[in-house]
Amino acid sequence: MTTGTDSAGPRGGDNEPVINVRTTPERLWGAARRTVRDARLPSGPPLRPTRRAWQFDALVALVLGIATVYYGIDNSDNVVVREIAPGVERVIARPSGPGGLTFMVTLAAIASGALALRRRYPLAVLCVVTAATLATPQSVMRLTFYSFVIAVYSAAVYSPYRVATLAALPVSVVLVGTSGNSVTPIVPNEYIALLILVPMAVAAVGLRTWKLRTDEGRTRLFALEREQAEALHRAVEHERARIARELHDVVTHNVSVMIIQAGAARKIMKTSPEEAGEALLAVEAGGRAAMTELRHVMGLLTMTDEGEGTDEGADLADTAAVPAPQPGLDQLEKLVGRVRDTGLPVDLTVIGPPRPLPPGLELAAYRVVQEALTNTVKHASGATAAVTVEYGPERLRVEVTDTGGHPGAGAPTGNGRGLIGLRERLAVHDGTLNTGRRLTGGYRVEALIPLETT
C-alpha cells in the first residue's frame, strides 16, 4: 500500500493526482491580489461624452430631480397604510417637519443630481446613488429608487473599470434589496401606460440611432476605400513617371551618343577606316554603358532571385549578375570621357573638397550633367562644353554650359521631358533648376541642391 504522495513523481502509487496543500493558500492569495490589481486598472480609455450627451444627462438629472423633490414635498407629514397580510395592515409614517422635509429634498437632489455625471464617472455615481438609496426611508423609496436604476445601468454600460464594476453591481443590488428599506415602490395605476410606452419609445429611438450610425459607418467605410484606391492609383502613376524619367535619362544619353558616332563612322568608313573603327568602338562602349544602366533599372523593377541565370545579353553587356550601383558624382569622369569621344570638347572642374553625399542626391546631380551634355551633343554640334561641380558648405552647385552650335545631323529632336524630369528629381531634395540661353551665346543649365550641415 502506498501513500497519496510519492517523491519519485507527480502521482502516487494508485495513479491519483497529488495536491500540494501548502501552495493552495498562496495561489488563492496571488489570485486575490491580481483581482484587486486588475480592479484598479481600466480596461479601456474613459468615455469622453459629447456636448449633446452632457446636455441630455443634465436634462435627465433636472427632470428626475424636480419630480422627486416634488414627490418629497407632497408626501411630507403623510401616513401610509399598507396591507402586509389578509386583514393585517401596517401604518408607515413618513418623515415630517422641516427636518424631515429637508432630509428628503437633500436625498432627492443628491441621487438625481449625480446622474449628470453618469457617463464620465459611472462607478462613482453608482456609489453615491447607492448610499443615498440605502439612507432613504422605506416610506419614500421613490425619492432615490429610479435614480438607482439609472445609475446601475450607466455603470454597466459606460464604466471602463470592468472588474470593479462587475464587483460593485451585485453588491449594490444586494445591499439595496436586503436592507431594511427593501420595499419596491408601488407604481400608481395612472402611470402604468407610461411604464409600457416609455420603454417602447426608448427602444424605437435606440433602433433608429443604431441604424443611422450603421449607415454613417458604411458611408465612411466606402469613402475610406475610395480614398485608398485613389491613393494607390496616384502611387502607381508616380512610380510610372519615375521609371519613365529613369529610362529617359539612361536611354537618351547613350543612344544619342551612339547615333552620332555611328553617323560619323558611316561617313569616314571609306576614307579613314581607322577613325571609323574608333567611332564604332565608341558606339560599342556606349551600348555597353546603356545595357549596364538598363540592367540596373530593370533589376530594381524585377528583383530577380539569386541563382537565376542571366539572359543572353549579359555577355554582350559584360556585366555581372548583381546590378551595378547607381551612378554618382564619382563617375562624372567616365561620363565626360564618353561625350568627348563624340568629338565634343568638355572641361570638368570640381570646386571644393568632394565629400560623401546621399545616393539619391548624387544620382540627381549626375542626371543633371548627363541630360545637359546630351542636349549639347544633339543640339549644339561644334560647340565646347564646361561642367562645374561646386561643393559648398550649405549647397551643391552643378553647372553645365556650352558655347552654342547647330543641331547634329541625324540627332533626334527632344520634347522637353528631360528638363521636366530633372526639375522633379531636384524637387525631391528641395533643389532648383535654372536653364536658359547665355548672353555670350550658348546654353546654361544650373542645379542648386541644399546640403544638410552637421
Side-chain angles (χ1 to χ4, degrees):
M1 215 38 207
T2 59
T3 60
T5 59
D6 188 359
S7 61
R11 292 182 178 273
D14 296 333
N15 292 329
E16 295 179 356
V18 177
I19 301 176
N20 191 348
V21 180
R22 291 177 300 175
T23 61
T24 300
E26 297 178 1
R27 289 199 299 267
L28 294 176
W29 175 248
R33 285 190 302 176
R34 287 194 297 271
T35 302
V36 173
R37 180 193 61 192
D38 295 340
R40 296 181 299 174
L41 299 177
S43 57
L47 181 66
R48 302 294 182 182
T50 62
R51 183 177 179 180
R52 181 175 296 181
W54 282 113
Q55 293 174 351
F56 177 79
D57 292 344
L59 180 62
V60 169
L62 179 63
V63 172
L64 190 59
I66 293 175
T68 53
V69 168
Y70 175 78
Y71 170 79
I73 296 175
D74 187 54
N75 289 273
S76 179
D77 298 329
N78 289 344
V79 177
V80 179
V81 179
R82 289 186 179 178
E83 185 178 1
I84 58 177
V88 179
E89 294 182 347
R90 181 181 177 184
V91 178
I92 303 175
R94 290 176 174 172
S96 60
L101 177 61
T102 303
F103 179 67
M104 288 192 296
V105 171
T106 302
L107 287 177
I110 292 176
S112 58
L115 296 181
L117 303 174
R118 66 186 187 92
R119 297 179 199 254
R120 187 62 181 88
Y121 305 102
L123 202 55
V125 169
L126 175 63
C127 295
V128 171
V129 176
T130 300
T133 304
L134 294 175
T136 303
Q138 173 184 343
S139 58
V140 286
M141 282 296 292
R142 293 181 191 175
L143 285 175
T144 55
F145 181 78
Y146 302 116
S147 298
F148 176 74
V149 173
I150 297 176
V152 169
Y153 165 80
S154 302
V157 174
Y158 301 117
S159 177
Y161 300 91
R162 308 310 300 171
V163 176
T165 302
L166 292 177
L169 286 178
V171 171
S172 300
V173 174
V174 170
L175 287 177
V176 173
T178 59
S179 65
N181 301 334
S182 58
V183 178
T184 304
I186 299 174
V187 180
N189 294 333
E190 58 267 22
Y191 297 135
I192 295 296
L194 291 178
L195 191 63
I196 297 175
L197 295 178
V198 169
M200 293 178 60
V202 171
V205 172
L207 181 62
R208 180 176 179 274
T209 303
W210 172 80
K211 184 177 182 302
L212 291 176
R213 290 182 178 178
T214 303
D215 294 340
E216 292 176 358
R218 187 181 295 110
T219 302
R220 287 196 298 268
L221 179 61
F222 289 158
L224 181 60
E225 291 178 351
R226 184 167 57 254
E227 291 177 359
Q228 291 178 344
E230 293 176 355
L232 179 61
H233 179 72
R234 289 193 299 269
V236 171
E237 292 296 330
H238 177 73
E239 186 65 16
R240 287 178 178 176
R242 186 188 68 83
I243 296 172
R245 290 196 303 268
E246 197 71 26
L247 291 176
H248 172 273
D249 293 338
V250 171
V251 174
T252 302
H253 171 74
N254 292 285
V255 172
S256 298
V257 172
M258 292 168 62
I259 290 174
I260 293 177
Q261 292 284 10
R266 177 179 55 81
K267 292 181 180 180
I268 63 175
M269 184 175 296
K270 295 181 179 180
T271 59
S272 302
E274 295 182 358
E275 295 182 1
E278 294 178 358
L280 291 177
L281 289 175
V283 172
E284 182 182 357
R288 290 177 184 272
M291 285 296 298
T292 300
E293 295 199 33
L294 284 176
R295 282 179 56 81
H296 169 68
V297 175
M298 298 308 295
L300 293 178
L301 297 178
T302 58
M303 298 298 291
T304 56
D305 296 333
E306 293 183 2
E308 293 184 358
T310 57
D311 54 10
E312 297 179 356
D315 295 336
L316 177 61
D318 194 20
T319 57
V322 180
Q326 290 183 336
L329 296 178
D330 57 341
Q331 300 186 27
L332 286 182
E333 285 285 355
K334 295 181 180 179
L335 175 64
V336 170
R338 290 199 301 268
V339 176
R340 286 170 181 162
D341 292 339
T342 65
L344 175 66
V346 182
D347 293 330
L348 176 60
T349 304
V350 179
I351 303 175
R355 61 178 185 267
L357 300 175
L361 191 149
E362 287 205 14
L363 177 61
Y366 179 90
R367 295 303 187 199
V368 169
V369 178
Q370 186 182 53
E371 178 67 20
L373 292 180
T374 300
N375 291 337
T376 300
V377 170
K378 292 191 298 183
H379 306 296
S381 179
T384 60
V387 178
T388 303
V389 179
E390 180 181 355
Y391 290 88
E394 297 181 354
R395 68 179 184 180
L396 175 70
R397 186 176 74 91
V398 178
E399 183 185 53
V400 181
T401 59
D402 62 67
T403 58
H406 58 276
T413 58
N415 53 14
R417 292 184 180 272
L419 295 179
I420 296 176
L422 289 181
R423 286 191 171 89
E424 294 180 357
R425 281 183 182 274
L426 294 174
V428 174
H429 305 281
D430 296 329
T432 58
L433 182 70
N434 300 316
T435 61
R437 296 191 176 277
R438 304 168 62 194
L439 296 177
T440 58
Y443 206 79
R444 174 176 172 270
V445 176
E446 181 187 42
L448 300 175
I449 310 174
L451 301 178
E452 295 184 358
T453 57
T454 56

